[in-house]
Amino acid sequence: MGRVRAACLRCLQTLGRHVSYGEHTYDREWDVLVVLDGCRPDAVEAIASGVPFVEDVDRIRSVGSCSSEWLENTFGPPERADAVARTAMVTGNTWTDRYVDGDAFAVLDEVWKYAWDDDLDTVPAGAVTDRAVDIARRRDPGRLVVHYMQPHHPFVPDPIDEDEGMARTSSYSRGTSPWVLLRRDDVSLGRVWTAYLANLEYVLESVGTLLENVEGRVVITADHGNLFGEWGLYGHPIHTPVPALLSVPWIETTAHDRGTYSSTLSPPEPLPVSRVRDAAGDEERLEALGYL
């Protein structure tokens, strides 16, 4: 069965490398783009009743089935250069180190380089909110992209046993993730879905703080979705044009800076921050797990 699944995935990826799919976010109107990493629209719908700023959950098709592909296709095309030059990006996603040109942005604040939580094995949502509020107030960017790592695993409020979390570098490896555990039937789909929703609620609480401390038209979306067994696949493999993976939420709202939060986190050096590595751990734990 594993060989059949792998063969089907390779066929899908061959197709995905040669076709264009998805809608570019720059083709729509927004001042602040909140990107939830690996967020499915049906997950947002499942918890929407408890989130005051989520009313209608529309959907669009992403331009990538994983973060690296989305970053490259969103910020890399030459025809987007002028728009990117007027954009500030605050991100917890480690793939920026490889797939975007930092000099192309008005500001690029890679929070993952200095606000990594070794206990959580990820970037806390609050750190991303903190830096986004500071950038919005001090830099006055034309557009602001705020890329949170959640609901991507590790699931902060409800971690899955044996989930090896993430490494702060952006290379592939084959560690244990919830998607590997699901594929092996080592954990139930219900258990992972519950933890995934808890992680989504966790990050949306921080998004709520953001919305009280920035100004403008805000869209909440995702770089890609996440497969829970559709087409026999799990996680978010690259170049995989599966509808359940490309479908992402599109939620429009408005933010007003009420001054309820004051930024306390500062980069260790002027932006852009130079690459930060774990001397011992990164060479052995090289990947943001889930790209399997």
Side-chain angles (χ1 to χ4, degrees), residues 23-26 30 33-35 63-64 66-91 93 95-96 98-108 143-147 221-223:
E23 181 178 351
H24 285 273
T25 55
Y26 277 112
W30 48 270
L33 187 74
V34 174
V35 182
V63 294
C66 69
S67 296
S68 56
E69 187 182 4
W70 180 81
L71 287 167
E72 211 167 29
N73 290 339
T74 300
F75 304 109
E79 63 271 21
R80 309 287 173 187
D82 288 345
V84 174
R86 296 190 297 271
T87 299
M89 181 156 69
V90 177
T91 179
N93 188 289
W95 289 101
T96 54
R98 179 172 296 186
Y99 286 96
V100 300
D101 175 7
D103 294 333
F105 293 84
V107 180
L108 178 60
R143 280 180 159 183
L144 174 64
V145 176
V146 186
H147 192 155
T221 187
D223 49 354

Side-chain angles (χ1 to χ4, degrees), residues 17-268:
R17 286 185 177 93
H18 294 92
V19 299
S20 297
Y21 47 78
E23 181 178 351
H24 285 273
T25 55
Y26 277 112
D27 291 337
R28 294 200 174 198
E29 295 296 322
W30 48 270
D31 300 307
V32 180
L33 187 74
V34 174
V35 182
L36 307 179
D37 204 288
C39 185
R40 294 172 59 113
D42 56 353
V44 182
E45 291 168 346
I47 64 168
S49 62
V51 184
F53 51 85
V54 175
E55 295 182 2
D56 298 320
V57 183
D58 292 329
R59 305 182 182 209
I60 66 169
R61 285 173 63 87
S62 175
V63 294
S65 63
C66 69
S67 296
S68 56
E69 187 182 4
W70 180 81
L71 287 167
E72 211 167 29
N73 290 339
T74 300
F75 304 109
E79 63 271 21
R80 309 287 173 187
D82 288 345
V84 174
R86 296 190 297 271
T87 299
M89 181 156 69
V90 177
T91 179
N93 188 289
T94 64
W95 289 101
T96 54
D97 203 43
R98 179 172 296 186
Y99 286 96
V100 300
D101 175 7
D103 294 333
F105 293 84
V107 180
L108 178 60
D109 191 341
E110 295 164 294
V111 184
W112 63 272
K113 289 185 174 179
Y114 58 89
W116 191 270
D117 189 310
D118 288 321
D119 292 328
L120 298 177
D121 279 327
T122 191
V123 181
V128 176
T129 294
D130 185 292
R131 294 300 306 141
V133 170
D134 183 60
I135 292 292
R137 287 176 177 160
R138 292 196 304 110
R139 303 292 185 113
D140 190 24
R143 280 180 159 183
L144 174 64
V145 176
V146 186
H147 192 155
Y148 293 91
M149 272 314 301
Q150 294 77 26
H152 190 292
H153 82 103
F155 305 132
V156 175
D158 187 15
I160 299 287
D161 291 341
E162 298 184 56
D163 180 0
E164 294 182 358
M166 293 172 57
R168 75 177 77 190
T169 55
S170 53
S171 302
Y172 290 106
S173 72
R174 290 199 177 272
T176 302
S177 71
W179 323 124
V180 171
L181 296 170
L182 271 177
R183 193 179 67 212
R184 294 174 181 167
D185 290 328
D186 289 342
V187 66
S188 72
L189 188 149
R191 171 72 183 95
V192 177
W193 181 251
T194 298
Y196 178 78
L197 291 184
N199 215 30
L200 178 56
E201 291 175 326
Y202 158 79
V203 69
L204 287 177
E205 182 176 354
S206 199
V207 172
T209 300
L210 178 73
L211 295 181
E212 293 180 352
N213 293 278
V214 297
E215 287 284 344
R217 296 167 296 182
V218 179
V219 166
I220 302 168
T221 187
D223 49 354
H224 53 80
N226 202 92
L227 295 171
F228 276 74
E230 293 90 347
W231 294 37
L233 301 173
Y234 298 88
H236 36 275
I238 194 170
H239 299 307
T240 306
V242 173
L245 183 52
L246 296 181
S247 180
V248 295
W250 188 268
I251 302 159
E252 297 183 357
T253 187
T254 303
H256 300 289
D257 188 354
R258 299 185 176 93
T260 62
Y261 182 85
S262 296
S263 176
T264 60
L265 180 64
S266 298

